[in-house]
Amino acid sequence: MKLAVDVGNTTVVIGTFIDNCIIDKMIFPTSKEVFNNIKIQLNTSEDFDEAIYSSVVPCVDQLALRFLTDELHIDKIHVLNSDSKVNFTYRVKNKEEVGADLIADLAGASSLFDEPCLIADLGTATKILLLDKNRIFSNCLITPGIDVSLAAITNKAALLPDVDLSNPAPILECNNTVDALIGGAIYGHVEMIKGIFAKYENALGYKCNKIVTGGASTYVEKLFNGEYIIEPNLVLIGLMEILKINKD
């Protein structure tokens, strides 16, 4: 059994795999205490022979790796970084700036599809990634995520309330402050993603697979038609692919 751990700014995602097939997935809020909570819910008696660790939150890395070695007794741990072997090519100014989560997204898309891909990863930030027809990653766009955008406006405006993004009203029924905030955040974000994807395809001159992933994708997945692929496990799939490539 193999374990994939992805530490993001908002959540920690744990995936367990047998023969590269995901059999369980758990999501926890990111904090320094998160691995105590994981220990309670994860069956620590399971025999994990390998793990891959991805993180964009350095302050929890030492605790996480200690958990993997001391609590789960995993001897083989691959810590994902820009020097990890991958199934695509970088063409960026500074490869070390590419976050581990983005590397995993790209590896996941490259393993699932032979065609070029555009990826929207919706988390604390929304990242738009291009994996072109030559399997080259050369650029991305980063914008504030849905939650961050909404928090910014509610924190700056004294009369605006905190809201729940999970149930946006139909656009013609956004006739009160709460629904207006939710609708603006959700519908605005969806149209931004669609518009940026279209701009990329226009510049490239060819069509791409359009993939939507990330924790905040649950807010918007129903608003994308069949042209868009909703893949909530893209990072975990990518991590397993990278672990396989880096076995040696």
Side-chain angles (χ1 to χ4, degrees), residues 74-85:
I74 304 174
D75 295 325
K76 297 178 183 179
I77 303 172
H78 182 81
V79 179
L80 178 58
N81 58 60
S82 59
D83 291 325
S84 299
K85 297 175 185 177

Side-chain angles (χ1 to χ4, degrees), residues 2 12 26 36 47 71 88 94 125 134 151 162 164 166 184 191 221 235 237:
K2 296 176 175 58
V12 175
M26 293 180 288
N36 290 329
D47 185 17
E71 299 292 341
F88 61 91
N94 186 355
N134 298 311
D162 292 331
D164 177 7
S166 57
E191 294 308 313
E221 59 185 355
V235 163
I237 293 167

Side-chain angles (χ1 to χ4, degrees), residues 195-241:
I196 290 175
F197 278 6
K199 194 171 186 67
Y200 266 113
E201 288 186 329
N202 184 58
L204 291 166
Y206 54 79
K207 291 289 186 179
C208 300
N209 285 304
K210 301 176 182 68
I211 307 168
V212 179
T213 189
S217 64
T218 56
Y219 298 141
V220 301
E221 59 185 355
K222 294 179 182 178
L223 300 175
F224 288 100
N225 60 29
E227 183 183 0
Y228 295 82
I229 301 161
I230 308 299
E231 180 45 81
N233 296 324
L234 189 66
V235 163
L236 295 178
I237 293 167
L239 289 176
M240 279 296 106
E241 182 68 17

Side-chain angles (χ1 to χ4, degrees), residues 27 62 64 147 153 180 227 239-240:
I27 302 174
Q62 187 175 359
D147 289 303
I153 191 171
E227 183 183 0
L239 289 176
M240 279 296 106

